[in-house]
Amino acid sequence: MRYEPPKFLDGRSKSSTWAVRGLSAVVGSAIVGVLIASSAAAQGGVPTKIPNTLNKCQGERDFNVTVRDFDSSVQGTRWRTATDRKGNAYLNDSRNPGVWVNLNILPGAPKCVVDTAAANTESGGVAPERLYVTLLTKEGKAYEVVCSTSTTPFDASNLAAACGPGFTRILGTPVGR
């Protein structure tokens, strides 16, 4: 005897009905998936571009120090400059242990700093004594600030007053061309 699939009263095969229902479910799921994906893309939910991280600053860690070794009022003071991997530059006055001032508080402070230099004058009280901080950016541009030194250690509250107009660009440097 041959197997015959069950039939409805009108003679249609029950197995073909299940196949049509299954196919309808697959097609319906595909349509819903397309609608959801296009709706999410229209609302910005699905990224359509890979973000450009090439322009993001990736600085280098750098450290520099200068020491006042002549003037008796601040003799032995060390001024340290440093950069982090985000391109920020910092200044530390050894008379303020652990306090690092972000140099971006000064007007004209450059972004994406990769190198620092610090130097100071020693006049023995004859002329005003100064601290020079030079910063080099990722683009090769150099900036300098000149700060008046005193017996008061540098911190975030007094650095802007001590450093006058802030950073200025050093023009004509060979690395910035």
Side-chain angles (χ1 to χ4, degrees):
M1 200 188 263
R2 216 174 105 189
Y3 171 76
E4 298 238 357
K7 298 192 181 230
F8 289 103
L9 294 175
D10 63 2
R12 291 180 294 137
S13 167
K14 286 187 176 180
S15 60
S16 64
T17 303
W18 283 106
V20 170
R21 281 187 191 167
L23 183 60
S24 298
V26 169
V27 170
S29 296
I31 290 172
V32 169
V34 168
L35 291 175
I36 289 173
S38 62
S39 149
Q43 296 176 10
V46 176
T48 56
K49 288 185 178 180
I50 297 172
N52 181 3
T53 58
L54 296 177
N55 294 329
K56 188 176 179 182
C57 178
Q58 295 177 346
E60 300 173 12
R61 289 188 278 187
D62 182 64
F63 192 84
N64 190 290
V65 65
T66 185
V67 179
R68 174 71 54 82
D69 59 2
F70 183 68
D71 182 14
S72 61
S73 63
V74 290
Q75 187 173 1
T77 300
R78 291 173 309 284
W79 291 286
R80 301 174 184 102
T81 56
T83 61
D84 63 14
R85 290 186 187 214
K86 294 179 182 177
N88 299 307
Y90 301 90
L91 174 69
N92 168 256
D93 186 321
S94 64
R95 299 169 292 172
N96 249 349
V99 176
W100 289 85
V101 180
N102 192 330
L103 292 174
N104 72 4
I105 67 169
L106 298 176
K111 306 273 188 240
C112 203
V113 176
V114 295
D115 198 8
T116 66
N120 63 278
T121 60
E122 300 184 62
S123 65
V126 177
E129 295 176 352
R130 307 270 189 241
L131 172 67
Y132 295 83
V133 176
T134 306
L135 305 178
L136 181 67
T137 67
K138 181 179 179 180
E139 294 82 26
K141 297 175 183 174
Y143 293 81
E144 184 176 66
V145 67
V146 181
C147 306
S148 298
T149 61
S150 71
T151 56
T152 304
F154 290 131
D155 62 24
S157 68
N158 64 17
L159 189 62
C163 298
F167 282 94
T168 56
R169 174 123 184 256
I170 301 171
L171 299 175
T173 57
V175 292
R177 293 183 185 165

